[in-house]
Amino acid sequence: MIIQPRVRGFICLTSHPEGTAQHVKQQIDYVKSKGKIDNGPKKVLVIGASTGFGLASRITAAFGSDADTIGVFFEKPAAPGKPGTAGWYNTAAFEKEAQAAGLYAKSINGDAFSDEIKKQTIALIKEDLGQVDLVVYSLASPRRTHPKTGTVHTSVLKPIGQTFTDKTVDFHSGVVSDISIQPVESEEDIDNTITVMGGEDWKFWIEQMKKAGVLAEGAKTVAYSYIGPELTYPIYRNGTIGKAKDDLEGTVPLLNDLLSDIGGRSYVSVNKALVTQSSSAIPVVPLYISLLYKVMKEKGIHEGTIEQMQRLFAERLYADREIPLDEKGRIRVDDWEMRDDVQTEVAKLWEQISTENLEQISDIVGYRNDFFNLFGFNFDAIDYNKDTNELVNIPSIKD
Ligand code: NAI
C-alpha cells in the first residue's frame, strides 16, 4: 500500500515500515560510530522498548555492548491495508539488524503492567538467558489497569493548585497561542497519575524478577525522569506528572534495599526534553523543545534520544568511575539542557516568541522533522508515493 502521514493533533495515525527501519538503522550506526562500551551490559531487559528512550536504550545495549536483549512493549501489528504502529515496525527492523549482527533479540507485545506479561517475560529470561544484568524501565502510558484490583487508572497532565496560562504552539500549523489549563479538581487525579506513571509498576517488576531469580549478581535497573526549566514547572514538575516522577524517584531507595543482597543498584536518570510520542502530547512542552533545539544546535550540544542513551551508558552507568549523582541521588544527562547559558537564552526567546517569528527564532522545523521521523516519514531516501509492504513481521513474535 501507499503510506503517507495522517496526522490528528499530536498523533500520527500511520507509520512507514521502510522509514522506521531507516530511523532504527541511523540510531544503530550512531552507536557503532561511538565504539564499544567497555564493561557494558550483556543481558538486558527493556520495558517500553519499541520507541523513544526505551528503543534507544535497547539499541545502545545491543550495538554498543553486544548485549542479548528482550524488549517488552504495547504495539499494534499491521493488518492488510492498515499499517502497524511505529513501535511495531521499529522492533521488526531492530530484530532483523540484531539477528544479522549475530545478537540475540526477542520481544513480547502486551501490557507490561499486567502480571501475565511479567510472568511471560520472566519465563523467557529463564529459558533463553538465565538471568539479566540490566533492566531498563521506560514506559510512558496514559493508563494502567492495576494488576491487583483490576481498576483502570487514567493519568492527567494538569497543574496543581492554580490555573496555568502560557504560550503553546500547534506544531503543524505553526500558530503560537495562549493556553490556559485548569488545575486538577481532586486528589484522585493526582493519585491516578501517580498510579500510572509512578514507581509502583517498576517495583513490581523488580520484586517479581528478584523472586524468580532472574536478576544477575550486581544487576542494575534504571528508569527515566524529567525536570526541565521553571517555565514548564506548573505543567510538568509541579503538576500531576511531576508528582508521578517524585514517586518514581522515591522508588530508588526501596529497590536498592531489595537488590542489596545481590549487590545490585537502581537508578533514575533525568533525561533531556525530546520529541517522542509521549512528549508531543504535553501542552507548552513542544514550544519549549523548539526553542531548546534552536539554542542547543547553535551551541553544538544538541542530542537526540540515541545520543542521550549512548552517553548514559558509556559515560554514566558503565563508565570506569563512580556514577556521578545529584543531591537527590539521580543521574543527570539533562546537564547540557539545564546549563545556565542554554536556559538564559531559551528564556529570552520565550519572551519574544510569536506566530510571526516562530520559523526564525525557534527550531520548529527540526521539531516537525523529528516528529515525522518517529513515524518513518520525512526521510529523503524514501519515495512515499511508492507502494510498500505494510505486513511486516517481528521475527520473534509468532502470529
Ligand atoms: P515513548 O512514548 O516513546 O515510549 C513509551 C514506550 O512504552 C513504548 O515502547 C510503548 O510501547 C511502551 N508502553 C506504553 N504502554 C505500555 C504498556 N501498557 N505495556 C507495555 N509497553 C507499554 O515515550 P518516551 O518519551 O521515550 O518515554 C519513556 C520514559 O522517558 C518515560 O518515563 C518519560 O517520562 C521519560 N522521559 C521522557 C522525556 C521526553 O522528553 N520524551 C524526557 C525525560 C524523560
Side-chain angles (χ1 to χ4, degrees):
M1 68 182 288
I2 291 171
I3 307 177
Q4 305 254 356
R6 267 184 48 223
V7 172
R8 193 165 301 153
F10 51 79
I11 291 171
C12 185
L13 300 170
T14 48
S15 307
H16 199 281
E18 291 163 57
T20 44
Q22 181 143 347
H23 198 209
V24 168
K25 183 75 174 47
Q26 277 180 359
Q27 296 184 61
I28 292 172
D29 289 345
Y30 173 77
V31 170
K32 283 186 180 165
S33 78
K34 300 297 282 183
K36 291 286 174 219
I37 298 164
D38 293 335
N39 306 313
K42 288 291 161 234
K43 293 178 182 188
V44 179
L45 170 65
V46 182
I47 303 156
S50 54
T51 56
F53 283 113
L55 173 65
S57 304
R58 189 177 193 183
I59 291 173
T60 303
F63 291 90
S65 184
D66 296 327
D68 297 336
T69 60
I70 292 176
V72 178
F73 47 77
F74 211 6
E75 301 292 346
K76 267 211 185 88
K82 198 165 184 297
T85 52
W88 179 270
Y89 290 142
N90 285 339
T91 305
F94 169 82
E95 278 199 12
K96 282 171 198 157
E97 294 283 347
Q99 268 180 7
L103 298 168
Y104 169 99
K106 284 194 185 175
S107 306
I108 292 178
N109 188 29
D111 181 6
F113 295 128
S114 69
D115 283 339
E116 176 51 35
I117 288 295
K118 290 182 178 75
K119 275 197 202 117
Q120 263 186 46
T121 309
I122 288 168
L124 182 63
I125 296 172
K126 275 192 175 160
E127 202 175 310
D128 287 2
L129 305 180
Q131 291 182 322
V132 292
D133 53 65
L134 173 66
V135 180
V136 176
Y137 187 84
S138 186
L139 288 187
S141 173
R143 69 191 65 80
R144 170 180 176 214
T145 304
H146 199 282
K148 311 290 177 226
T149 62
T151 306
V152 180
H153 298 268
T154 302
S155 67
V156 297
L157 288 165
K158 287 190 178 175
I160 296 170
Q162 53 201 25
T163 304
F164 170 55
T165 304
D166 211 327
K167 295 174 189 176
T168 195
V169 69
D170 173 333
F171 57 86
H172 299 296
S173 66
V175 172
V176 177
S177 61
D178 276 345
I179 184 171
S180 283
I181 309 159
Q182 299 299 315
V184 281
E185 278 160 23
S186 66
E187 280 292 316
E188 217 184 317
D189 277 344
I190 304 173
D191 292 344
N192 279 329
T193 309
I194 294 173
T195 305
V196 179
M197 288 296 286
E200 187 186 49
D201 183 58
W202 185 24
K203 190 167 119 257
F204 285 174
W205 270 99
I206 299 302
E207 278 173 352
Q208 292 180 32
M209 292 180 75
K210 169 99 188 305
K211 199 160 160 218
V214 295
L215 292 174
E217 194 73 26
K220 291 180 178 154
T221 181
V222 64
Y224 301 137
S225 189
Y226 183 63
I227 299 175
E230 274 180 39
L231 75 92
T232 63
Y233 276 5
I235 187 67
Y236 200 96
R237 197 64 211 202
N238 292 341
T240 49
I241 181 74
K243 294 290 171 219
K245 290 302 183 192
D246 288 345
D247 186 76
L248 182 82
E249 292 168 15
T251 306
V252 167
L254 305 178
L255 297 185
N256 281 340
D257 279 352
L258 192 70
L259 297 173
S260 62
D261 61 332
I262 56 165
R265 274 297 297 268
S266 80
Y267 300 93
V268 157
S269 169
V270 182
N271 301 343
K272 176 192 178 191
L274 281 167
V275 183
T276 66
Q277 294 184 32
S278 301
S279 67
S280 50
I282 309 174
V284 183
V285 168
L287 185 58
Y288 165 71
I289 292 181
S290 304
L291 293 173
L292 182 72
Y293 273 28
K294 176 85 171 177
V295 173
M296 293 186 80
K297 283 181 185 175
E298 270 172 15
K299 290 181 184 290
I301 52 170
H302 175 70
E303 295 175 298
T305 45
I306 196 65
E307 289 85 355
Q308 278 267 294
M309 293 302 94
Q310 201 281 336
R311 190 156 69 92
L312 171 66
F313 279 56
E315 295 179 29
R316 300 287 193 275
L317 285 174
Y318 296 98
D320 195 13
R321 58 173 174 151
E322 208 180 307
I323 301 175
L325 302 174
D326 71 6
E327 72 294 347
K328 290 193 169 158
R330 304 169 293 204
I331 296 176
R332 304 295 295 265
V333 286
D334 65 337
D335 46 350
W336 298 349
E337 168 182 0
M338 298 314 291
R339 259 172 43 176
D340 280 349
D341 59 326
V342 171
Q343 286 302 325
T344 308
E345 196 68 28
V346 171
K348 224 191 283 167
L349 294 171
W350 187 264
E351 292 303 313
Q352 300 163 23
I353 193 84
S354 67
T355 306
E356 290 66 39
N357 62 18
L358 182 73
E359 300 262 339
Q360 289 79 52
I361 69 169
S362 86
D363 185 27
I364 192 73
V365 173
Y367 188 101
R368 270 187 211 124
N369 193 53
D370 277 10
F371 177 81
F372 284 110
N373 280 180
L374 294 177
F375 302 92
F377 297 112
N378 271 20
F379 288 97
D380 287 343
I382 290 171
D383 181 351
Y384 293 100
N385 293 312
K386 256 178 68 182
D387 248 334
T388 183
N389 178 16
E390 73 278 19
L391 299 172
V392 174
N393 289 328
I394 294 177
S396 73
I397 297 180
K398 303 285 165 268
D399 297 334

